[in-house]
Amino acid sequence: MENTTGTIRLGSENFEFPIIEGTEGEKALDTRTLRAKSGCITFDEGYGNTGSCISDITFINGEKGILRHRGYAIEELAKHSSFLETAMLVIYGSLPQKSCLSAFRKQVRESASIHTGMHSHFDGFPTSAHPMAILSSMLNSLGAYYPKMSSNNREQDLAYFDETAALLISKVRTIAAMTYRMKMGLSFVHPAEKRYTENFLHMMFSEPYSEYDDKHGAGKALDLFLMLHADHEQNCSTSTVRMVASGGANLFASVSAGVCALWGPSHGGANMAVIKMLEEIHAAGDDGSKFIEAAKKGEAKLMGFGHRVYKNYDPRAKILGKSAEGILSSIGMNDPLLDIARKLEQAALEDEYFVSRKLYPNVDFYSGIILKAIGIPVEMFTVMFAIGRMPGWIANWKEIAENPKSRIHRPRQIYSGETQRDYVQLVDR
Ligand code: ACO
């Protein structure tokens, strides 16, 4: 990395700081010594201008719509790779050799079952519980069944890292399927000797009297969906995972926190919100134009549009838009929601309001249509995102845990409350 310097002038004093440059030419003023030197801190609510870490995992150029994992373009990965191979790439840094990939697949396959002690945890939830609440609780509980892997002793947790990573990638899928079955009042289906997504669909939809038959290629579409969600640098949930990891917490606890952060509608919850929005537009007999007008007046939000980083088309949305058409035509399904989505997209891409604000479809815009076509209930959509994002969370935890210089993440604040005042006795208030 080439280092030059930059200067901040505060009053009459100049303070010089190094400029850090990333491998893709991104520059950052390294202000870590600013407070010590000047007594001043930077204020960046929402962290739009703050680099919280140096990372080797994922590169995004939001202006150009570029997404690369470990140097490989998402379009190339979508064309040639699989979810588990991309997971290994994201976590370990390079495309795996055939034997390593086979060993990883085997380890994931053999880690699929959930300890029977955990089956009873599902009984404790009401069927109305949100699947994301169940998922975060279950992932954290899982750590209790593997105390050696969740010691909160970095050296020990890292010694078990490979095992824990494969276990989490495998079991998050089993927990998701069990959650669905519990909510539907159906008995659990044991994992089988199948590939990753086929096994998931089997655990979701097989019955003792009829094995799930993937005749429309749902497993393949789901594999692509998961791969496209594998990592996305310092988004809200990944930053949360890093934050929790920075305190020394184990991988189970850290990814459980990631699930909670993902849940909200401004982040992973947007994939549920998109389908709800499209259904409401459809039910109201609108072709999307009234909704666009409401969004422009600030009366509605076009869910699945806009992104903190992308000021161009999200490359994942482009791939998923095509995939949505593919899976619908394979099923022979004509979903009016896809037509509304296409109309909304077209209108938004031409409308001054969206164009001037650089609001483009994001990954969530088409993903719900694919998940719906596969038969995944809307309430499970964000859980599907979490399954896909697991490799990214794991890779980011690893980066923190392996860095001997990593410090606890602890931002500062500008205090705006009352200044010191005297306590008033209850009788005198
Ligand atoms: N519909 C209508 N207007 C929008 C939208 C939208 N989806 N998104 C942003 N805007 C407008 C804002 O009102 C604002 O307008 P103004 O300048 O007149 O005030 C302008 O565009 C800039 O928006 P910000 O809120 O400043 O953008 P920010 O970077 O803070 O938010 C976010 C990004 C949260 C993704 C936002 O665009 C949004 O809420 N989108 C809808 C939810 C969604 O799809 N989330 C998924 C994101 S991707 C992911 O997490 C996987």
Side-chain angles (χ1 to χ4, degrees):
M1 279 185 200
E2 181 197 326
N3 274 7
T4 49
T5 59
T7 305
I8 293 180
R9 189 172 174 81
L10 293 168
S12 57
E13 257 192 290
N14 285 335
F15 300 93
E16 198 163 87
F17 301 97
I19 290 177
I20 303 174
E21 190 168 338
T23 50
E24 291 280 358
E26 286 173 313
K27 289 192 173 112
L29 194 63
D30 179 356
T31 56
R32 279 177 289 181
T33 55
L34 175 65
R35 188 169 179 275
K37 280 180 179 167
S38 72
C40 205
I41 60 169
T42 56
F43 178 66
D44 184 21
E45 195 176 29
Y47 311 128
N49 297 286
T50 297
S52 61
C53 60
I54 296 180
S55 177
D56 293 346
I57 305 167
T58 290
F59 171 70
I60 300 175
N61 182 325
E63 279 70 34
K64 293 186 180 155
I66 292 173
L67 168 61
R68 295 187 205 124
H69 297 315
R70 307 283 189 180
Y72 296 99
I74 194 69
E75 292 83 0
E76 288 261 294
L77 293 170
K79 207 162 157 191
H80 304 295
S81 187
S82 64
F83 173 58
L84 287 188
E85 185 186 69
T86 298
M88 286 194 85
L89 171 70
V90 165
I91 295 170
Y92 295 107
S94 54
L95 286 169
Q97 296 296 326
K98 203 173 172 186
S99 59
C100 293
L101 181 58
S102 303
F104 185 65
R105 283 191 190 286
K106 185 168 179 282
Q107 205 174 1
V108 169
R109 203 163 44 238
E110 290 173 358
S111 307
S113 292
I114 297 290
H115 193 291
T116 48
M118 278 194 80
H119 288 212
S120 58
H121 292 215
F122 283 96
D123 298 336
F125 288 101
T127 49
S128 59
H130 195 285
M132 288 294 274
I134 300 177
L135 184 64
S136 68
S137 313
M138 286 295 180
L139 286 172
N140 213 355
S141 311
L142 197 57
Y145 288 81
Y146 299 92
K148 282 187 187 156
M149 301 177 178
S150 57
S151 66
N152 290 342
N153 171 319
R154 239 175 217 172
E155 223 170 276
Q156 185 174 326
D157 288 346
L158 276 172
Y160 286 98
F161 176 78
D162 294 345
E163 222 174 315
T164 315
L167 180 150
L168 277 166
I169 286 173
S170 186
K171 291 195 199 303
V172 66
R173 164 195 61 165
T174 313
I175 293 170
M178 287 170 86
T179 301
Y180 165 73
R181 308 251 341 157
M182 180 279 276
K183 284 177 68 68
M184 297 296 288
L186 300 166
S187 56
F188 298 140
V189 176
H190 291 291
E193 183 76 20
K194 289 176 188 287
R195 288 176 78 90
Y196 189 82
T197 47
E198 275 83 12
N199 211 350
F200 172 72
L201 292 167
H202 160 71
M203 287 190 274
M204 286 280 287
F205 301 125
S206 282
E207 295 299 343
Y209 48 86
S210 77
E211 177 94 354
Y212 175 77
D213 179 8
D214 184 14
K215 53 181 180 282
H216 300 299
K220 203 165 164 247
L222 199 52
D223 194 85
L224 178 68
F225 165 90
L226 295 177
M227 184 212 293
L228 293 175
H229 285 78
D231 189 46
H232 211 239
E233 53 117 304
Q234 301 315 312
N235 56 82
C236 176
S237 57
T238 304
S239 298
T240 301
V241 169
R242 286 185 89 111
M243 172 76 85
V244 176
S246 79
N250 66 75
L251 188 48
F252 296 90
S254 303
V255 299
S256 161
V259 170
C260 295
L262 184 71
W263 192 353
S266 295
H267 190 16
N271 60 11
M272 280 174 65
V274 170
I275 286 292
K276 283 189 184 145
M277 174 189 78
L278 293 174
E279 280 172 348
E280 276 167 26
I281 293 172
H282 183 54
D286 178 16
D287 67 349
S289 34
K290 281 191 201 138
F291 195 87
I292 292 263
E293 288 312 310
K296 283 161 62 179
K297 285 189 213 142
E299 293 163 3
K301 200 170 230 184
L302 190 48
M303 299 310 287
F305 255 72
H307 199 277
R308 172 58 61 81
V309 178
Y310 289 118
K311 301 302 164 200
N312 201 324
Y313 214 114
D314 179 339
R316 302 165 301 171
K318 261 189 204 162
I319 301 167
L320 282 175
K322 276 192 201 134
S323 168
E325 269 166 24
I327 184 78
L328 287 179
S329 84
S330 156
I331 297 173
M333 193 172 153
N334 186 11
D335 189 344
L337 300 192
L338 182 61
D339 299 333
I340 295 175
R342 287 281 183 222
K343 272 195 193 121
L344 282 179
E345 179 186 357
Q346 194 58 30
L349 292 178
E350 288 163 2
D351 194 294
E352 216 287 308
Y353 175 92
F354 295 90
V355 173
S356 63
R357 287 169 179 77
K358 298 192 166 84
L359 298 169
Y360 292 86
N362 61 47
V363 69
D364 293 316
F365 194 63
Y366 286 111
S367 63
I369 292 173
I370 297 173
L371 295 176
K372 186 168 163 271
I374 292 172
I376 311 284
V378 176
E379 223 191 5
M380 290 288 292
F381 283 8
T382 317
V383 166
M384 302 309 297
F385 190 147
I387 300 175
R389 185 53 53 87
M390 188 57 77
W393 291 337
I394 292 171
N396 277 274
W397 182 91
K398 185 170 184 269
E399 243 182 21
I400 291 262
E402 282 180 342
N403 180 0
K405 286 190 185 156
S406 87
R407 301 173 75 199
I408 188 162
H409 288 197
R410 205 300 187 187
R412 287 188 179 264
Q413 64 166 16
I414 303 294
Y415 176 67
S416 61
E418 297 286 349
T419 52
Q420 188 173 2
R421 46 184 171 164
D422 292 332
Y423 182 81
V424 181
Q425 294 298 331
L426 192 57
V427 286
D428 298 328
R429 279 174 226 162

